[in-house]
């Protein structure tokens, strides 16, 4: 059995990044339900992210999305984040909302549109230089809706050429994280639809390019932990966009729809010794809290990742290896299920106490009155959202 001190040390060192856009209004094409107290500025989003770190102790960075978090001084924004005890993490580019990108951005048939898209990606690296961020995360809505609409291989050529120019601009300590998605908003082809296509582009680009696994971006029934194991084996798992879903890219709280899948994913990470921050896997949340209060939902999401990770760390690796080597199918499965069926909440509550935190982060957040304070103080202005 793994010793609890090792398990606790690994959990204490775990780092989960929250997304600025989860604190803003979000919804579906049917309706975005605004919530009182929602941030109006990047600064207020960072204030809310700092709350999640204050109560969990393991969420010290917040990902930005450009231009949703556009500010005049990214250096002073980073300084403000530091004052609040957090730092600016991954910079997410956005080439999926401008009218010019109707037929694509970096893979668009029109070279002027590709130029515009690449210039935005290069601007995001300028921002990383100011915020001290290491990771540029790229997700492209690029694709087609009807057979014949465009040349599939031609779009890959344009995509590769655009990515090469951006890759060349990366600083020595900077990375490009390439996110794939099966479909939506494109419904026939998506230019980066799966891990294989992302990996091929990463390998073609160089060692500073790695794949992002968004847990909501696969066909139903996909064995995501298999993909994670393969990417870890290749040394090309750059990170996760954690969320959960019952059907498509629902962006629900990670672990809410399928805690067993999250456990299986984290077990592949732990067994590859890739949980350590030095292993270079970015654990990011990418969620939309359309109907639930956003800060408690982010706290709950961080706790869900911690619970899945704690269970994965409790897998008796020696017993598992012995059963696997011995062809003991049921025995091996039972070792994993014993860990999954372990109630790790007391362990995590105890760890939080040892970290000087409240054992119950959500109750502590509500007791802090912060939720009420922002509803009273954030009156007027334009609430943040996806636009
Ligand atoms: C696309 C995506 C991508 C983001 C966006 C907020 O579905 O997962 O990671 O840029 O959501
Ligand atoms: Mn994502």
């Amino acid at each position: 059995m793994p010793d609890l001190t090792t398990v606790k040390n690994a959990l204490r060192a775990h780092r989960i990044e929250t997304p600025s856009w989860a604190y803003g209004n979000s919804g579906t094409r049917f309706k975005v339900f605004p919530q009182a107290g929602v941030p109006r500025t990047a600064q207020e989003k960072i204030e809310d992210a700092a709350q999640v770190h204050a109560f969990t102790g393991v969420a010290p960075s917040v990902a930005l999305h450009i231009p949703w978090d556009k500010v005049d001084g990214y250096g002073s924004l980073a300084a403000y984040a530091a004052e609040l005890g957090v730092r600016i993490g991954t910079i997410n580019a956005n080439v999926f909302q401008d009218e010019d990108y109707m037929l694509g951005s970096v893979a668009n048939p029109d070279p002027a549109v590709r130029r515009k898209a690449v210039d935005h990606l290069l601007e995001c690296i300028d921002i990383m230089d100011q915020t001290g961020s290491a990771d540029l995360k790229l997700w492209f809505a690029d694709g087609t809706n009807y057979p014949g609409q465009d040349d599939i291989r031609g779009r890959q050529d344009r995509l590769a050429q655009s990515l090469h120019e951006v890759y060349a601009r990366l600083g020595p300590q900077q990375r490009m994280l390439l996110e794939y998605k099966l479909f939506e908003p494109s419904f026939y082809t998506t230019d980066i639809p799966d891990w294989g296509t992302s990996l091929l582009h990463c390998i073609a680009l160089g060692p500073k390019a790695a794949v992002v696994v968004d847990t909501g971006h696969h066909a139903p029934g996909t064995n995501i932990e298999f993909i994670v194991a393969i990417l870890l084996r290749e040394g090309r798992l750059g990170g996760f966009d954690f969320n959960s879903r019952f059907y498509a890219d629902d962006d629900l709280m990670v672990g809410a729809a399928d805690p067993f899948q999250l456990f299986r994913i984290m077990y592949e990470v732990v067994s590859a010794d890739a949980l350590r921050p030095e292993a270079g896997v970015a654990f990011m949340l990418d969620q939309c809290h359309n109907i639930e209060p956003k800060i408690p939902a982010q706290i709950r999401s961080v706790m869900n990742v911690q619970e899945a990770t704690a269970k994965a760390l409790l897998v008796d690796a020696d017993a598992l290896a012995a059963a696997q080597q011995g062809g003991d199918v049921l025995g091996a499965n039972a070792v994993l299920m014993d860990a999954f069926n372990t109630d790790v909440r007391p362990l995590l509550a105890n760890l939080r106490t040892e970290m000087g935190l409240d054992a119950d982060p959500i109750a502590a957040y509500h007791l802090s009155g912060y939720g009420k304070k922002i509803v009273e103080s954030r009156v007027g202005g334009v609430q943040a959202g996806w636009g």
Side-chain angles (χ1 to χ4, degrees), residues 137 179 214 217 241 286:
K137 182 152 84 69
E179 183 177 358
D214 184 312
H217 286 186
D241 264 7
D286 178 7

Side-chain angles (χ1 to χ4, degrees), residues 52-379:
V52 175
H53 184 49
F55 290 101
T56 64
V58 294
S61 64
V62 53
L64 299 186
H65 218 297
I66 310 298
W68 298 341
D69 300 313
K70 193 171 184 52
V71 293
D72 297 339
Y74 288 99
S76 49
L77 187 69
Y80 183 59
E83 276 171 40
L84 297 170
V86 293
R87 65 177 174 78
I88 294 176
T90 309
I91 299 296
N92 288 261
N94 181 335
V95 287
F96 53 85
Q97 287 186 310
D98 186 296
E99 273 80 31
D100 289 340
Y101 299 142
M102 184 168 73
L103 299 179
S105 63
V106 290
N108 191 296
D110 179 343
V113 174
R114 298 200 298 274
R115 180 72 262 152
K116 176 178 178 173
V118 169
D119 287 347
H120 170 70
L121 306 182
L122 296 174
E123 181 208 348
C124 287
I125 300 178
D126 298 340
I127 293 170
M128 290 161 65
D129 293 342
Q130 297 165 60
T131 59
S133 301
D135 292 347
L136 171 70
K137 182 152 84 69
L138 303 179
W139 170 71
F140 300 109
D142 288 45
T144 63
N145 276 1
Y146 296 98
Q149 174 187 330
D150 198 350
D151 180 65
I152 294 174
R153 285 178 293 108
R155 292 182 71 92
Q156 292 298 313
D157 296 341
R158 297 167 213 151
L159 168 63
Q161 188 193 9
S162 300
L163 291 176
H164 271 285
E165 182 179 346
V166 176
Y167 186 89
R169 165 69 181 80
L170 290 173
Q173 302 314 317
Q174 296 175 331
R175 299 190 302 174
M176 176 188 286
L177 302 184
L178 202 51
E179 183 177 358
Y180 60 86
K181 182 175 181 179
L182 183 63
F183 79 101
E184 189 209 37
S186 300
F187 296 108
Y188 170 55
T189 67
T190 293
D191 294 314
I192 307 182
D194 54 30
W195 67 276
T197 308
S198 175
L199 181 60
L200 285 174
H201 282 288
C202 289
I203 291 169
L205 289 162
K208 292 190 284 187
V211 180
V212 165
V213 175
D214 184 312
T215 46
H217 286 186
H218 305 82
T222 299
N223 186 325
I224 299 177
E225 62 270 23
F226 178 87
I227 297 170
V228 169
I230 298 299
L231 293 172
L232 283 166
R233 188 169 171 273
E234 292 300 315
R236 293 283 182 163
L237 177 64
F240 291 97
D241 264 7
F242 277 138
N243 50 63
S244 72
R245 50 82 168 277
F246 290 102
Y247 304 103
D249 192 16
D250 308 351
D251 281 339
L252 299 172
M253 290 190 297
V254 60
D258 190 345
F260 185 40
Q261 181 189 59
L262 182 60
F263 160 75
R264 300 192 315 265
I265 289 171
M266 291 313 294
Y267 173 67
E268 290 306 325
V269 170
V270 166
S271 61
D273 192 21
L275 190 66
R276 304 163 290 117
E278 311 75 57
V281 176
F283 300 94
M284 303 170 282
L285 302 180
D286 178 7
Q287 299 173 177
C288 297
H289 304 301
N290 303 347
I291 60 174
E292 68 268 31
K294 300 167 191 294
I295 298 170
Q298 284 286 296
I299 294 174
R300 178 71 256 176
S301 301
V302 169
M303 294 167 67
N304 286 355
V305 175
Q306 288 186 300
E307 289 174 17
T309 305
K311 291 172 184 244
L313 287 162
L314 288 174
V315 171
D316 184 336
D318 300 339
L320 183 64
Q324 289 172 339
Q325 293 313 316
D328 177 0
V329 175
L330 293 178
N333 176 251
V335 171
L336 223 66
M337 295 314 291
D338 287 349
F340 177 66
N341 293 320
T342 303
D343 183 355
V344 293
R345 292 171 294 181
L347 167 77
L348 286 164
N350 179 268
L351 173 67
R352 294 185 188 108
T353 307
E354 289 171 5
M355 292 169 73
L357 303 170
D358 193 290
D360 180 341
I362 292 183
Y365 168 75
H366 289 306
L367 277 176
S368 75
Y370 182 86
K372 280 197 189 58
K373 183 178 73 84
I374 57 178
V375 167
E376 283 144 19
S377 62
R378 294 177 181 172
V379 178

